[in-house]
Amino acid sequence: PELTTIGLLDGDGGDGATEEMVRSAIHREIDGMAARVQRDDDAVRESVRLAVRRVLRESLGKKPVTTVHLVRV
């Protein structure tokens, strides 16, 4: 997934650990969805948005405004 944060992960030490946790959470969330749900763009966006917010809240103590840009190829 493509992940863009504005000023949020810039100061996480430069090791990318938080970004990797977010990416892993996105993959787990999508992989755990039923195929029917995976075809529903709104459901995927909302589920991924919540997963990203959950990881960032747990790791950084922040609840950022999160917009998911879903691109299907």
Side-chain angles (χ1 to χ4, degrees), residues 3 12 16-28 51-52 55-56 58-60:
L3 179 61
D12 87 333
T18 302
E19 185 175 345
E20 185 55 39
M21 288 187 328
V22 169
R23 288 181 187 281
S24 293
I26 291 169
H27 285 288
R28 278 194 312 275
V52 169
V55 168
L56 293 175
E58 291 169 359
S59 64
L60 301 176

Side-chain angles (χ1 to χ4, degrees), residues 20-50:
E20 185 55 39
M21 288 187 328
V22 169
R23 288 181 187 281
S24 293
I26 291 169
H27 285 288
R28 278 194 312 275
E29 192 67 28
I30 292 172
D31 290 345
M33 292 177 178
R36 176 186 57 80
V37 177
Q38 287 182 4
R39 289 188 297 270
D40 181 344
D41 289 351
D42 290 334
V44 171
R45 277 189 201 99
E46 183 62 10
S47 187
V48 167
R49 184 185 76 82
L50 293 175

